[in-house]
Amino acid sequence: MREIGTRYDGAQSKTMTPQSITHYEIIEKLGEGGMGVVYKARDIKLDRMVAIKVLPAGKTGDASRKQRFIQEARAASALNHPNIVTIHEIAEENGIDFIVMEYVAGKTLDQAIPRRGMRVGETLGIATQIAGALAAAHEAKIVHRDLKPGNVMVSDKGVVKLLDFGLAKLQDKAPLGEDENTRTAGPRTEEGSILGTVSYMSPEQAEAKPVDGRSDIFSFGAVLYEMLTGQRAFLGESRISTLSRILNADPPPLHEVAPEVPVELERIVNRCLRKDPRKRFQGVADLEIALQELKEESDSGRLAAPVAGAAKPLPPSRIPGRAAWWVTGAAATLSLAAGVAWYRMPAPAAKAGAPNEAALTQLTFDSGLTVEPSFWPGGNMIAYASDRATGANLDIWIQQMGGEAKRLTTHAADD
């Protein structure tokens, strides 16, 4: 590796830009993060552009950092997917470790997101590709653990490439600086027992608990939220306050920040962002299918924007696990029950010369969540799921028209 010149990057310490690495001619520096410096280079032998990530010379003595650097190459090279960056080579020269990967002409997602967020169609086009890449990684038993806009490249043709598997399936016990604030631009990976970038990590990741693919789903929800709104789902004045928001607070409702987002898409984001991993999507493959279906509706023009005044989805911490797909709130369900009851009830006899008049009857009056009504064939009895007893999980209730409701199940899980 030959080096030329001295380069200054703002207030950072001076760094040397290499002229070449083995048979790769360095063209320019693309970026720098906690895991290394990335350069755009030309492969002289094959005459193609590549990206080279170099582990800084001062870090080669750190065994854990070097192990993580190598892990990134091995994890990514084990995956073969059009939306995951291709690794060409991992090598060492004169004590310098580096990874050679495909060069993607474009922007990172954090650079591509407008100040007020992306259009729904554009968001779905990118999101389905990210979900497909994650699904392939999870199928190979690889959890990314640092999904964020800065680790997603969007090419000039709209093709997504998922980057940086440096935290995949790793443990790191190095201490984390308590005085480090959450970055508001160009986030880098937080290094320490808490792995990942603070604003996008899952609650279980924030508490340094074991994580699985559902942690990536939470991070994906945070990325989706930012794509649609232009602002982070969780952002505090410091690292600690951001972690507190992740653990204890919901982001501002999507329909308030971005009213044009369809209700169906807001439900998906809410389900991804549930604090309890058991109440999120249990696999990225299901999430990918849900997004793909919405994308098809959007592309065909069938995906309608929300109607002003329509019932909105409940925040992610409030919606029970399996209710998410069909819940728009208790008020909407009450309206549904009343409407179906009116449809099932015999029409009153019309007076001579007078038009028929329909009557609406409210059937349930509790303030909890009431969903999935089902009527007895005779129309005089209704069964439904409600959390009125516990406020936490759904039980089955049955009720005569105009009578008292009776609880049929008492399981801790949703019924």
Side-chain angles (χ1 to χ4, degrees):
M1 176 183 296
R2 301 193 307 277
E3 296 182 337
I4 58 172
T6 302
R7 176 172 177 171
Y8 293 85
D9 293 311
Q12 299 177 9
S13 60
K14 64 181 181 179
T15 59
M16 302 295 291
T17 301
Q19 182 181 20
S20 65
I21 302 176
T22 63
H23 59 280
Y24 300 103
E25 179 186 1
I26 301 301
I27 296 176
E28 63 178 318
K29 179 179 176 181
L30 296 177
E32 184 173 1
M35 286 302 299
V37 184
V38 181
Y39 299 98
K40 179 181 178 181
R42 186 173 69 89
D43 184 336
I44 299 174
K45 289 184 177 180
L46 299 178
D47 192 22
R48 65 179 177 182
M49 304 306 299
V50 297
I52 298 180
K53 177 179 282 190
V54 178
L55 184 63
K59 305 297 184 180
T60 53
D62 187 335
S64 63
R65 184 184 291 264
K66 184 172 182 177
Q67 179 190 10
R68 190 187 305 170
F69 187 80
I70 295 173
Q71 175 69 27
E72 175 184 352
R74 289 178 177 173
S77 64
L79 301 171
N80 182 17
H81 191 275
N83 298 123
I84 296 177
V85 68
T86 300
I87 299 296
H88 298 314
E89 178 185 7
I90 178 171
E92 178 181 346
E93 182 190 15
N94 298 327
I96 303 299
D97 296 280
F98 62 95
I99 300 172
V100 182
M101 64 193 82
E102 69 173 307
Y103 171 72
V104 182
K107 300 178 180 179
T108 55
L109 184 56
D110 56 347
Q111 296 171 331
I113 297 175
R115 186 170 59 89
R116 296 191 177 184
M118 292 180 164
R119 296 187 300 272
V120 170
E122 185 180 9
T123 297
L124 289 171
I126 293 174
T128 52
Q129 295 182 69
I130 298 174
L134 280 179
H138 290 184
E139 186 176 357
K141 309 301 182 185
I142 295 174
V143 180
H144 193 284
R145 296 208 289 179
D146 196 21
L147 180 62
K148 58 185 178 182
N151 281 338
V152 178
M153 283 293 301
V154 183
S155 77
D156 297 335
K157 297 182 179 180
V159 177
V160 167
K161 294 286 185 178
L162 185 58
L163 311 173
D164 203 347
F165 284 81
L167 299 186
K169 300 172 63 178
L170 286 177
Q171 300 294 325
D172 190 339
K173 301 303 181 183
L176 181 65
E178 289 296 327
D179 58 348
E180 184 173 2
N181 291 340
T182 301
R183 298 170 179 83
T184 58
R188 291 168 57 181
T189 301
E190 300 286 345
E191 301 174 74
S193 58
I194 300 177
L195 293 175
T197 303
V198 170
S199 293
Y200 305 96
M201 63 176 53
S202 66
E204 58 270 28
Q205 195 175 3
E207 293 183 307
K209 294 180 178 178
V211 300
D212 55 27
R214 295 172 296 181
S215 178
D216 280 348
I217 289 175
F218 185 95
S219 301
F220 182 82
V223 172
L224 257 181
Y225 185 97
E226 186 168 339
M227 291 171 68
L228 291 166
T229 65
Q231 63 186 50
R232 294 192 187 178
F234 305 98
L235 182 62
E237 296 179 355
S238 67
R239 182 181 62 86
I240 297 300
S241 62
T242 298
L243 290 174
S244 177
R245 288 177 184 270
I246 290 172
L247 292 171
N248 304 305
D250 293 323
L254 256 177
H255 61 264
E256 294 181 2
V257 184
E260 71 282 358
V261 174
V263 172
E264 296 91 337
L265 183 53
E266 183 169 4
R267 290 177 192 156
I268 289 177
V269 176
N270 284 348
R271 188 173 182 185
C272 290
L273 291 178
R274 291 183 193 160
K275 309 298 185 188
D276 186 346
R278 296 172 299 178
K279 295 184 177 181
R280 299 175 203 148
F281 289 91
Q282 296 303 290
V284 184
D286 291 337
L287 172 57
E288 181 186 9
I289 291 172
L291 289 169
Q292 187 62 47
E293 289 176 346
L294 281 187
K295 183 179 182 299
E296 291 171 0
E297 291 185 32
S298 176
D299 292 344
S300 66
R302 299 194 309 270
L303 186 60
V307 178
K312 304 299 181 182
L314 296 176
S317 63
R318 180 64 186 85
I319 306 176
R322 290 190 294 275
W325 287 106
W326 13 266
V327 174
T328 59
T333 305
L334 290 175
S335 298
L336 171 64
V340 177
W342 165 78
Y343 177 80
R344 295 291 185 108
M345 290 179 180
K351 297 180 180 180
N356 289 337
E357 294 183 0
L360 294 178
T361 302
Q362 185 172 350
L363 301 178
T364 59
F365 296 87
D366 58 294
S367 60
L369 181 67
T370 304
V371 296
E372 289 293 281
S374 180
F375 287 84
W376 189 257
N380 62 341
M381 185 180 294
I382 182 175
Y384 50 84
S386 175
D387 66 353
R388 65 169 70 185
T390 65
N393 60 279
L394 296 171
D395 292 308
I396 303 298
W397 294 72
I398 193 167
Q399 176 179 332
Q400 292 279 353
M401 296 301 183
E404 293 293 327
K406 294 183 179 180
R407 183 181 180 188
L408 299 184
T409 62
T410 57
H411 299 147
D414 291 333
D415 295 319

